[in-house]
Amino acid sequence: MNTNAIDRLKTLLESSSDDTNDAPVILTVHLGTCGIAAGAGKTLETVKTTLASGSVQPIELRSSSCAGLCSYEPMVSVSRNGERPMMYLDVTEDKVNDLFDCIRGVKTAEECHLQIITHDDPFYLKQQTVVFINRGLIDPESLDDALASGAYKGLASILDNMDPAEVITEITKSGLRGRGGGGFPAGVKWSSCVSAAERTEGIPVIVCNADEGDPGAYMDRSILESDPHSIIEGMAIGAYAIGAEEGYIYIRKEYPLAMEILENAIRQARDRNLLGKGLLGTDFSFDLVIHRGAGAFVCGESSALMVSMSGMPGEPRSKYIHTVEYGYKGRPTVLNNVETLANVPRIITRGSKWFASMGTGDVSENPWNGSSGTKVFSLVGDVKNAGLVEIPMGITLREIIYDIGGGIPGGKEFKAVQTGGPSGGVLPADKLDLPVDFDTLTDAGSMMGSGGMVVMDNETCMIQIAKYFVDFLKDESCGKCTPCREGLVALGTILDRIISGDGRQGDIELLEEYGQNMCETSLCALGQTAANPVLSTIEYFRDEYEEHIRDGKCGALKCKALIEYHINAENCTGCTICARNCPADAIRGNLKEPHVIDQEKCIRCGVCREVCNFNAVEVL
Amino acid sequence: MITVNGITLDWYEGKTVHDVIQEMNYLFPLLIARINGKLIPRNKYDSTEIPDEATVDIIHLMSGG
Amino acid sequence: MADREMITIEIDGKSVSVEKDTTILEAAQSIDIYIPALCSSELVEPYAACRLCIVEVDDGRKTKLVTSCNYPVRRPIKVYTSSKKVLRNRKITLEMMLSRWPNVQVIKDLAKNAGIEKARYQHPAVDLNPNACILCGLCMRICEQGIWENIINFTNRGAERAVRMPYDSEQPHCVGCGACAEICPTGAITMVDDPNQPYDAEMIRKAGMRITKEMIKYDEEQCDMRGVGTAHLVEIMDAYDLLPVMNYRYGKHEETPKISSDIFRKYFTKGKPDGCWLGCTMACAKAIEDFELKTGPYKGEKVLVDGPEYETLGGSSNMGIFDPYFVAEYNFYCDTYGLDTISFSTGTSFVMECYEAGVLDKEKTGGLEIPFGAKDAALELLHQIGRGEGFGLIVGKGIRYMKKYFVENFGADPDFVFDIGMEAKGMEYSEYVTKESLAQQGGYGIALKGAQHDEAWLIFMDMVNKQIPTFEDKAEALHYFPMWRTWFSLCGLCKLPWNDVEPADNAETDEPAKVPAHVQGYCEFFEGVTGKPQTMDSLIRMSEKVYNFQRVFNLKMGFGRREHDVIPYRSAGPVTVEEYESRQERYDTQLREDVGIDPTGMSSEEKVAATRKFREAQYEHLLDAVYKRRGWTNDGVPTVAKLIELGVDFPDVIELVKKHGG
């Protein structure tokens, strides 16, 4: 291998435009989709206007991606004299003046009611960033930024120093397993694709699955928005390893910003010979095409994704012949998830040993033997610090939820955590000390999945949760196979009657029976796991189901048919606020006299309880 | 010795209908084979052995415009 | 065939050996083990949607549930079709189906067998229709995979999934082939009354469906008409020494693989039906898309080439040109100029041979250097014909005109040009070498419209199968097949579905060459339209009337007598020494065995002459036999008796025939 890709890359890096100025203060507005939704765009505009007024120079203004703590956006990082940044939280446009006051030292943050955290905060301390090493730090629109942070070094080094088989070995030894939910070792997948291609004389392709569809999960979006070149580089390395020259990124259309950033990154990479013909002066060619999904959850399933890419309706097929052998247009195809691919350049540059040293188990001989590296979770629901967290495999649910997430807000108690999205399950408090890795969570009846983690407090009704996921899946099931299509209807029908107080003895067993059938006979992984939310809530919260059926009671007071709102006459001051807010006109009472709810008219919306200032509305 | 469509061919132990079709370079797909008048199904061409002295008919049907 | 890997598996304790990649369902069916399967049919690819065909598979490492309809056998496994787990799951799946479609008979039956009468939950969208669609997808798959259309497909997803036409509107592309209705297991699809009001639409549909099923099941292993059309004949004709090379001098060429179907398979548009007739499952007309032209008025443009078919390819070898790009180019321009590729190529082959023989030279051709293989010159000639200019003006008038012209204006030897100018009744020969099949020489020579094989193609029967050894046998074939093929023309039907695919049991019939099951299908087709029951004989009778009437018409126009059934000697035997010597062993043997002359010591010229004398006499004998069989005079004129018998004894017909001795 007489190539000099590394030298070519160095030249590229040296020719980067040097746009760093010597401003002592660098101000970074975090412009992920989450930040923009919270108003970061307006914050940026206001910052620009203020800077343009000339009163606060010299400050260098930059933009970057989400910094992870999504429940406190918009976020603005301020770094002085090259020190690690302080991150200002909830900087909406009206707080921009306060922000500048703090920067200038006119006021303290406290005086301006601005909250600050640093990377020493527990939210960050327990995290370990591998794929997110650049998040919030580099400008995702800038290839120069990416190059300066070490992008494409891995690619250059394999082009110079490794043959494809060595790359596969390195990935296999790192123990990297698929982050999309399956947990299949990436190196093994690559290697089977190579053998399938030899056997069938097919030309392999590599596809990146960016069709992230689990409710509440947005890990992949954030990776694409923060470090798009890591995906391009990961795919190029994968392509080199399996002998592919074509790559496709299947991304859901609901991610317009990620798509824009990715398109821009691909264009830049092409311009600089990091994609296209003869990468970095070698004879290895590789290029990428973006394929937009049309918003079907099932298209995240590998075979459906490939059918959809071919222009047909996204429906799974049986995978008795795997997609590595018969994938996109019948060609040998490697499909890796965004996060999996983002890990690849890191493993190449820092070595498989480094990667395998993180996480659980000894994967050096057998990647199935543990879970190495880190995992990104989108930690959402009833938790104080909601956001994207990257943790080393093996830390416990408790550490994630309490140390990083800051626990349950509002003085409520933890009830359950849902992992793995609609395909996953619900775990109760006594599973909080389970280490988070591929195998442990699966054994416990849930799964790590792609990384959705929804925390629920004690005011959550588990039957409602099960129903929520069943309804979601009922809408998203492609409808091809009977157990998934009809099974979800069956589950939904039975859950409905339980929720509406018509549950019957034997319904729980019926749910289990239908659920089991779906697991055992559905065509694709989505159908096979579609009953998991029901089955796992039954496993851990069977009492709650029984309570609903036997006693007609909903302990969490969420099932409308099973609750009644009453006004406690002792507490009621007759202020009339409840009656004025009741949408059903169900509350009667004279001023300064206790009010009464007409149960016939009441629609159990709970507005009266929310507006009452005297805790007079009770739920029974 | 066997006769195939009136042409004399060598015989050897284990010679099948498939072998004869190959030897005669009969590329046409719509064939009917008979050994001493007995019809041999297409899926048995490679497993049906021809006895010595047999008369084999490899009937070609017609196709094309 | 012999190299297929066989794998022995065990199903419910019974051993069965199957080819690798056979599905478990097929394996089970082969030993009469029943597995319920609603969405499966041998006519379409497995879909694995209904999930009723689940079985338990033990692969030695673990036991798992799989769908038998699409699980390929790749290693020795044990299969259990009725294990507890299988039965439990199948029962629940059926319960779910029954809950939604409680009145659909096929589901009721299967559910009853599984021990269910009623589901344990009330389906919120229960469909009480006994003919409800059960979403098996057979209809849309047969439309897509069988008919190569996409008239219907699934819309929506999940429980809302339904089979629909795009935008719920009637599709002009749907020709009402009925395949979807036929395959539907619940009767959810019905056919609308045919506006043509045939006597019995159902009878027509059933006859059509039989052909459709055969196409879907057997075509790929038989003629692969859907894959490459008639192009598959190129390599076959070469193998049998029947592919015309250099103006029918030879029957094969070492460069044939360059224009074989394997080459064109790569260029042909795949998976789309042809444009002859929507809904034709044979779909043999192929096209090359985005072909960039190198010559002519559209030079540099990318066009769609409609073809090539066999004759166009055989025409190319006949000109000694073995270049797929040339074939596509001449195919396109013949179509564009409104020329027939057969007439052009056979005519140009004649020109090329005349050029090589010195009949023509550059001066006479207006500067064209045009020996065999001269593809640029051939294309230039084609453009000249298209423009009606120069030498093209002469060639474009056909071989019969050229022969006369070359004799009169270029001093050509009349015997030579008449021997090698391949036309009969003024029409150029199509692309088969007939030298070794006397019956086929008759097929070309006696054909009413001129030298075309579409009345009879008897070469295999005659030359390879040796099924019609006597003159009487040949005459019988030259009676039946021309009448039969004429019947297609009478009805405006394509002949290809008759014998370019055949039923699985065709070989077992008395007259497989006639494909009796298909003839029966045409009888039903005719009856379904007109209400008049038919037999094979009655169809032939229909043709015979017309055929004889046409012969009389020919007579009236000056083409209907023995002298008009004459053929150029090139189609009967070797004209030149070179031709003789190229197949010397064959011809010497024939001299010895058929003619009774010992060729030893004879010069090639003498042998050519002896062969010719014999073969020309054979042809005359053949005419005698054919005329007799047809009820014609020895001059080839229908007799009055025959015309009366056929009921075409119109006064002016009788008068004309009598004048010619009939």
Side-chain angles (χ1 to χ4, degrees), chain A residues 32-52:
Chain A
T33 295
C34 39
I36 292 170
K42 286 179 182 164
T43 302
L44 177 69
E45 285 313 305
T46 317
V47 168
K48 276 185 184 163
T49 318
T50 315
L51 288 177

Side-chain angles (χ1 to χ4, degrees), chain B residues 8-60:
Chain B
T8 308
L9 292 189
D10 284 339
W11 177 83
Y12 54 81
E13 182 79 44
K15 191 171 199 171
T16 64
V17 176
H18 178 68
D19 295 334
V20 164
I21 289 171
Q22 293 226 307
E23 186 176 342
M24 296 296 292
N25 195 25
Y26 284 162
L27 283 191
F28 188 63
L30 301 179
L31 300 177
I32 292 171
R34 293 180 190 276
I35 300 176
N36 296 326
K38 186 172 173 286
L39 181 72
I40 310 300
R42 257 171 223 167
N43 58 7
K44 297 266 175 0
Y45 284 1
D46 51 354
S47 58
T48 306
E49 294 180 11
I50 300 168
D52 198 6
E53 306 291 329
T55 300
V56 181
D57 294 308
I58 310 286
I59 309 293
H60 289 55

Side-chain angles (χ1 to χ4, degrees), chain C residues 644-662:
Chain C
I644 291 171
E645 177 199 324
L646 293 170
V648 286
D649 50 340
F650 312 113
D652 48 344
V653 169
I654 298 294
E655 192 190 332
L656 179 73
V657 166
K658 274 187 174 164
K659 208 162 72 187
H660 288 93

